[in-house]
C-alpha cells in the first residue's frame, strides 16, 4: 500500500524516545527511515527493558518500520560516509546534546554545504540557543521547567509528573510537525531548513490556555485535581467500584445530566445556571453529583449518561486500554509485528488514521547493523570487500 | 519573512482547542488559514474567559495568525459558497462530532468530488470509525479512556489528569502531523487524503513505553508519583524551600551526583551499581538523596548539580515560566500581538524554531467576520451588493 511519505529518505541519528518516536511517525507513513547507530551497542534502549527472550521490546516498539545501519561518526571515514548519505537524503534527525554534531564536524552549517536541500531536525532539552542550551535536559526536566508539573496533582499535594514521558512525546510530535512543514516547503522551493525543537518549549506550548490565565489575570494556576479551570461539572466522581469521568461541559450536556440524575430543577437553579456559575460553585455541585454517582457502578454511570448523550467514561488501566474494542479493534491501535529474537509482538500504532493510504508498522525494528549491506551497497555502491574492511576497522 | 507553508490555503472550521491549536501551528508557519465561523457568535471560546476589556484572550491566543470569515453551513447557499472555497483550498479542518459534516452534506466523499486534491483533516473524541465514534469525546474522556489518568498521580491516591488539556493538545499535534504528511504527498502526486485523528488514540500513542510494560510483562503500570519505571534517581526531591528535580538517569550522571553529595563510595556500592539496581532499591536511594537535598534551597541544588554536569531543575509555577530567560527571551516563547479590543498582549509561541524561515504569530486573531470582504471578494469575486444580501439573509 502507498504511504504519504513514500520516497522521503530520513537519516535517523536519534536515540531513546523523543527522536525515535518522531522518526517512527514518519516511517509508519512510508518514509524510508534509516536508523544510523554506533557500532558499539547502538541505541541505549537496546539494553533497556522490558525484555522478551533477552531482546528489548522498548527498542522494537519505537523503531519498527525503520531500516538500520551502523556507523562510527568519530572516525574520519565514518564522517565522509555520512556526508555521502546526506547528499542522497531529505532529512537528518538527531537528539544529541546541542553542540555535539558541531564537535563531530557534522553540524547544520556543514551539512547544508553538502546538500543545500537537507532538512536538519533536532530535538533537545532546552534547544540550540540560550543560556541553558548546553545543559542535558531530560523528560522530567521539561515537565518541571515548562510548568506542567506545577499544575498537575491535588490541592495541598505535591507537583506531579504525567504517567508517561510527556515532555519527550510532545518534543517528538513538534519535531515531526516542523520537519514535515519543511518537506512541504522543500517540495516547492528545493530549499532546506533547520528545525530546532526543545522539550521545554514543547511543554510550554502545551500549556497555552493555562499560561493565559496568569498572563491575563495575574493569578497563578494551581493544582486543582481533576476539575478544570474553565468549566464544570467536568471531573472524576465516585462510583461504587472506583472513579468515573463525567464531562458535562456546557448547558446542553448539564441539562442531560440533571435529567438523568432525576434532578431537573437544578437546570434552572440560579446557583448553577451557566458555566461560570457552576465553576464558582463547583464544590457544592460536586457533592450533589457524587451523592448520585456513588449509588451506581462505573459501568452503570457510563451507560446511563452516554445513552442519554452526556459524555462519561471509565478511568481505564492499561490492561483495559489494550482490550477496549473501540481502541484495539476499530482503531487498530495495537497491531502486531514479527520481531526477530522476540517473535510475534504487539506495538502501539500511530494516531494518524488515513483513507487513501495507511499509517502502520511496516516492518520489524532492525537488528544492529542489519541493513548495512543494502544501505552502503545500494545507496553508496560499496562492495563486499569494502564493507568487510570498514567493519574490521570499526567504521561500520 | 518567508514561512515554510506560504501559499498553503487552509479552511478551518474548528472550534475550542484541539482543532484551533492544530491550525495555529500551520498559520504560525505561514499557511493562509481562513477560520470559518457561524455568523451567530462564532467559536464558543469567544465567550470563554479569561477576558481583557470584555474580549476573550483564550480565543485570541489560539486564533492569532489566522483570517476570519462567517458562513452559515446550514443554509443551502452557505453550502454552495463553502464548496467554491474548497475548490480553491488545500486543506479543510474540522472538529465536529463525527457525522456532522455528512449531515451538512459536506463530508469527505462530497468534498473530494468538488476537489480531488483536498486534504480533509478531522479531530474528534473517538475518531470517525468504531462503536463509540458518535459519542462526544472531550479532553478528560481522552485522558481517562487512553490510560493516562490511571498512571498519573501517587501510590494510594486517585487517578489524576494533567494540568493542561493534554488530550486536546496531543490530538491537535497528531492532526498537524497527518495533514502535513498529506501535503507532502499532494505536492508530489496531486492526490488528497482524509486524516482522521481521535483524542483517545492520541493519548494511547503517547503511552507507548508504558503500555509496553503491560504487553510484555503482563504487569499493569500503577501510579508511582514522580519516579519513572525505567530509571532512578530521576525524581523530585525535597529541598529547604520546596521540591527540586534531579535527573541522574545513567551511570555517568549518577556518579556526578554521588560526588556532589560527597558520597563517592555509593558509586561502587553493589546495591546501586547499575540502573536496574537503583530502580530496585529506589526507596533507600531516595532517602539518601533526600537527606542531602533537604539541606539546601532549590536554587542551590540546581546550581550545584548543573555546574557539575548533572541535570537538575526547579518545578516552575507559571509566573516563573513566563519570566525564565531561557524560555521567554532566548526561545521567544511569549511574543506579543496587538489584538483589537484587547491591546498589546502576550501569547504562547509554537515550539518550531527555524533557521531560514520563522514560526511566529503573524497577525492578531480575527474579529467575527473581519475578513468577509477580502475572503469572499478576492477569493470568490463577490461584490458589495452580494455581500450585503448574504449578510442580510444570514448566510454570512
Amino acid at each position: 500500500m502507498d504511504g504519504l511519505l513514500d520516497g522521503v529518505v530520513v537519516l535517523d541519528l536519534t536515540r531513546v524516545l523523543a527522536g525515535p518516536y518522531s522518526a517512527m511517525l514518519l516511517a509508519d507513513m512510508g518514509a524510508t527511515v534509516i536508523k544510523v547507530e554506533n557500532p558499539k551497542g547502538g541505541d541505549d534502549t537496546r539494553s533497556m527493558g522490558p525484555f522478551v527472550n533477552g531482546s528489548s521490546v522498548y527498542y522494537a516498539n519505537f523503531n519498527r518500520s525503520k531500516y538500520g545501519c551502523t556507523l562510527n561518526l568519530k572516525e574520519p571515514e565514518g564522517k565522509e560516509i555520512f556526508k555521502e548519505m546526506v547528499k542522497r537524503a531529505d532529512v537528518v534527525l538527531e537528539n544529541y546534546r546541542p553542540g555535539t554534531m558541531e564537535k563531530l564536524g557534522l553540524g547544520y552549517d556543514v551539512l547544508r554545504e553538502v546538500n543545500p536541500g537537507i532538512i536538519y531536525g533536532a530535538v533537545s532539552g532546552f534547544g540550540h540557543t540560550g543560556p541553558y542550551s548546553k545543559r542535558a535536559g531530560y523528560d522530567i526536566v521539561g515537565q518541571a521547567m515548562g510548568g506542567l508539573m506545577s499544575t498537575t496533582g491535588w490541592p495541598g499535594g505535591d507537583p506531579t509528573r504525567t504517567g508517561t514521558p510527556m515532555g519527550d512525546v510532545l518534543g517528538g510530535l513538534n519535531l515531526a510537525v516542523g520537519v514535515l512543514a519543511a518537506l512541504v516547503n522543500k517540495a516547492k522551493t528545493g530549499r532546506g531548513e533547520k528545525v530546532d525543537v526543545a522539550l521545554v518549549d514543547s511543554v510550554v506550548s502545551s500549556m497555552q490556555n493555562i499560561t493565559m490565565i496568569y498572563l491575563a489575570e495575574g493569578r497563578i494556576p494551581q493544582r486543582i485535581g481533576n476539575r478544570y479551570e474553565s468549566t464544570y461539572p467536568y471531573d472524576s466522581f465516585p462510583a461504587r467500584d472506583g472513579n468515573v469521568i463525567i464531562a458535562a461541559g456546557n448547558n446542553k450536556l448539564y441539562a442531560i445530566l440533571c435529567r438523568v440524575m432525576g434532578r431537573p430543577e437544578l437546570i434552572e437553579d440560579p446557583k448553577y445556571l451557566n458555566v461560570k456559575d457552576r465553576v464558582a460553585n463547583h464544590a457544592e455541585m460536586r457533592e450533589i453529583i457524587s451523592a448520585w454517582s456513588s449509588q451506581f457502578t462505573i459501568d452503570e454511570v457510563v451507560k446511563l449518561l452516554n445513552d442519554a448523550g452526556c459524555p462519561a467514561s471509565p478511568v481505564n488501566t492499561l490492561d483495559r486500554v489494550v482490550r477496549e474494542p473501540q481502541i484495539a479493534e476499530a482503531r487498530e491501535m495495537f497491531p502486531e509485528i514479527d520481531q526477530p529474537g522476540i517473535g510475534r509482538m504487539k506495538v502501539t500504532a500511530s494516531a494518524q488514521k488515513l483513507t487513501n493510504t495507511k499509517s502502520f508498522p511496516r516492518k520489524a525494528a532492525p537488528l544492529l547493523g542489519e541493513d548495512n549491506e543494502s544501505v552502503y551497497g545500494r545507496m553508496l555502491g560499496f562492495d563486499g570487500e569494502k564493507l568487510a574492511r570498514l567493519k574490521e576497522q570499526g567504521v561500520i
Side-chain angles (χ1 to χ4, degrees), chain A:
Chain A
M1 186 181 285
D2 292 343
L4 288 177
L5 299 177
D6 281 356
V8 173
V9 176
V10 179
L11 304 178
D12 174 17
L13 299 175
T14 67
R15 296 92 18 83
V16 191
L17 208 163
Y21 178 62
S22 196
M24 182 200 87
L25 297 171
L26 308 183
D28 279 356
M29 289 190 288
T32 301
V33 176
I34 302 169
K35 187 166 175 109
V36 181
E37 295 177 84
N38 76 69
K40 288 175 195 150
D43 188 328
D44 288 344
T45 59
R46 288 188 178 274
S47 53
M48 275 170 70
F51 299 102
V52 170
N53 303 330
S55 289
S56 168
V57 293
Y58 187 129
Y59 179 88
N61 179 62
F62 283 114
N63 294 288
R64 87 296 180 91
S65 301
K66 304 178 191 174
Y67 299 89
C69 68
T70 50
L71 190 60
N72 186 342
L73 295 174
K74 292 183 178 163
E75 290 285 335
E77 198 171 0
K79 296 180 205 298
E80 288 315 308
I81 291 171
F82 186 68
K83 288 180 191 170
E84 288 304 311
M85 293 167 80
V86 169
K87 286 183 191 166
R88 292 156 180 85
D90 300 291
V91 178
V92 170
L93 299 179
E94 60 97 347
N95 62 349
Y96 291 110
R97 204 187 282 213
T100 304
M101 289 292 280
E102 285 73 13
K103 234 185 284 173
L104 289 168
L106 299 169
Y108 178 56
D109 284 345
V110 173
L111 299 185
R112 76 193 297 182
E113 292 291 318
V114 171
N115 176 358
I118 199 73
I119 294 163
Y120 181 107
V123 56
S124 59
F126 294 94
H128 283 210
T129 55
Y132 299 170
S133 176
K134 293 288 155 56
R135 287 191 190 174
Y138 290 95
D139 176 70
I140 197 170
V141 173
Q143 292 198 35
M145 287 284 294
L148 181 55
M149 283 183 68
S150 79
T151 54
T152 300
W154 297 84
D158 278 335
T160 306
R161 72 166 183 91
T162 63
T164 195
M166 195 58 86
D168 282 328
V169 168
L170 292 167
L173 283 163
N174 276 293
L175 180 63
V177 166
V179 164
L180 287 164
L183 279 165
V184 172
N185 183 55
K186 186 182 171 172
K188 281 189 196 169
T189 66
R191 271 183 245 141
E193 180 61 283
K194 177 177 174 179
V195 182
D196 163 19
V197 168
L199 302 190
V200 173
D201 296 350
S202 299
V203 170
V204 169
S205 172
S206 81
M207 303 295 296
Q208 304 263 353
N209 54 322
I210 309 300
T211 306
M212 203 44 79
I213 292 168
Y214 175 72
L215 291 173
E217 302 178 354
R219 177 168 66 82
I220 302 170
Q222 304 293 320
R223 293 182 285 286
I224 56 173
N226 290 341
R227 73 181 180 89
Y228 284 60
E229 293 273 358
S230 56
T231 190
Y232 207 85
Y234 190 99
D235 200 348
S236 60
F237 295 91
R240 262 168 45 202
D241 51 349
N243 286 287
V244 64
I245 301 297
I246 300 174
N250 61 38
N251 286 351
K252 191 181 134 201
L253 297 174
Y254 171 67
I256 295 174
L257 171 64
C258 291
R259 285 196 201 97
V260 172
M261 293 197 300
R263 301 288 301 275
E265 77 282 6
L266 291 172
I267 300 171
E268 301 291 329
D269 188 326
K271 276 175 80 174
Y272 311 119
L273 196 61
N274 284 304
V275 166
K276 70 170 177 8
D277 308 309
R278 297 191 291 272
V279 170
N281 297 306
H282 64 84
E284 290 168 66
M285 180 99 273
R286 183 177 169 75
E287 280 180 34
I288 294 170
I289 298 170
S290 298
W292 173 77
S293 63
S294 54
Q295 305 169 49
F296 302 95
T297 65
I298 295 169
D299 288 345
E300 286 167 349
V301 172
V302 169
K303 187 166 170 23
L304 279 168
L305 288 173
N306 276 300
D307 283 355
C310 175
S313 141
V315 180
N316 280 336
T317 44
L318 288 164
D319 54 320
R320 290 180 61 135
V321 172
V322 301
R323 287 187 182 86
E324 189 78 66
Q326 173 71 25
I327 300 170
E329 289 162 31
R331 304 294 287 178
E332 302 180 85
M333 284 303 290
F334 304 105
E336 292 185 334
I337 58 173
D338 280 308
Q339 183 65 38
I342 291 176
R344 197 103 185 126
M345 64 173 275
K346 284 192 160 101
V347 296
T348 301
S350 300
Q352 288 74 29
K353 304 301 169 190
L354 308 168
T355 293
N356 305 325
T357 64
K358 196 166 181 184
S359 170
F360 70 109
R362 286 161 193 264
K363 63 180 285 298
L367 299 173
L368 188 62
E370 180 177 331
D371 303 297
N372 277 352
E373 241 176 274
S374 64
V375 168
Y376 297 123
R378 261 190 254 161
M379 197 176 189
L380 301 182
F382 294 1
D383 60 17
E385 204 177 326
K386 182 159 184 179
L387 285 172
R389 177 182 63 77
L390 290 169
K391 195 165 170 62
E392 168 86 20
Q393 295 176 336
V395 176
I396 66 171

